[in-house]
Amino acid sequence: MAAGGDGSPDAAGSPLADRLNYLFTTMHPPGAPYTNAYVAEEISGGEEYGGVSLTEQYLSMLRNGRRTNPSPDVLRGLAKFFAVPVGYLLGDLSPSQAERVEEEVRFLVAMRDKRVRSIALRSVGLPPEVQDSLTTIISQFRQQMNLPPEPPGTNGAGEADGSGGPDGGATNGRR
């Protein structure tokens, strides 16, 4: 993250803006994505976010790259709201660590679908060979429907580590 980049108009596409926009696009309840106003209000109004003050306008500037060096408190509030490590927003994670965070975000998004969640939960406790058979059956259905072998954004490993999310927690059903 470039220090002192707060007014640079060529900062669009900054790592922070890209990551924030990814989270806004991906991490929201079913229906409509979060708005800048909603996120700013939640963070500014919630003690769990450390009493940080965040305006809709400043958040918009962070998302469009016009501001690139927010305070640590703002970063902590945003990271807590989206349930990701602060290092993800700071750009302090290695590319593989950042990809892991994004993979876990995609997992959480997929688990919002009650049918997907039902299929996953019903496989819990089945022997590994039966789970492998289920994976094969699902792959065959995907092939028959001319879908890619793996859903977009997955690494093909099909693993779940049970961590519950990027920070080991859940999304808390926020709107």
Side-chain angles (χ1 to χ4, degrees):
M1 187 98 25
D6 262 15
S8 174
D10 59 331
S14 73
L16 176 61
D18 291 344
R19 288 183 175 112
L20 279 174
N21 287 321
Y22 173 77
L23 293 171
F24 268 86
T25 301
T26 311
M27 289 292 287
H28 56 80
Y34 292 121
T35 63
N36 290 339
Y38 178 80
V39 173
E41 184 178 319
E42 285 292 306
I43 291 173
S44 294
E47 287 183 31
E48 69 267 27
Y49 299 106
V52 66
S53 178
L54 179 63
T55 66
E56 174 184 0
Q57 294 78 14
Y58 188 68
L59 184 52
S60 175
M61 288 188 272
L62 290 173
R63 290 186 65 195
N64 68 28
R66 289 181 38 219
R67 296 286 187 262
T68 58
N69 196 16
S71 73
D73 290 339
V74 167
L75 287 172
R76 278 192 292 276
L78 287 165
K80 184 169 183 100
F81 180 86
F82 286 110
V84 297
V86 175
Y88 175 72
L89 293 177
L90 285 171
D92 286 349
L93 303 181
S94 70
S96 65
Q97 290 170 321
E99 176 56 35
R100 175 72 176 160
V101 169
E102 291 171 359
E103 181 180 316
E104 290 177 357
V105 165
R106 287 188 296 272
F107 172 78
L108 290 173
V109 169
M111 292 309 287
R112 278 193 223 134
D113 183 319
K114 71 178 181 178
R115 286 172 277 189
V116 170
R117 193 172 48 249
S118 175
I119 291 167
L121 291 174
R122 288 176 186 205
S123 71
V124 172
L126 294 174
E129 59 275 9
V130 174
Q131 291 177 349
D132 291 342
S133 295
L134 290 172
T135 300
T136 301
I137 292 167
I138 291 169
S139 295
Q140 290 169 349
F141 275 119
R142 293 187 66 81
Q143 183 178 16
Q144 289 173 358
M145 300 181 83
N146 293 321
L147 295 170
E150 296 294 329
T154 62
N155 64 6
E159 296 177 8
D161 66 4
S163 69
D167 66 349
T171 58
N172 299 325
R174 292 180 296 252
R175 300 184 342 190

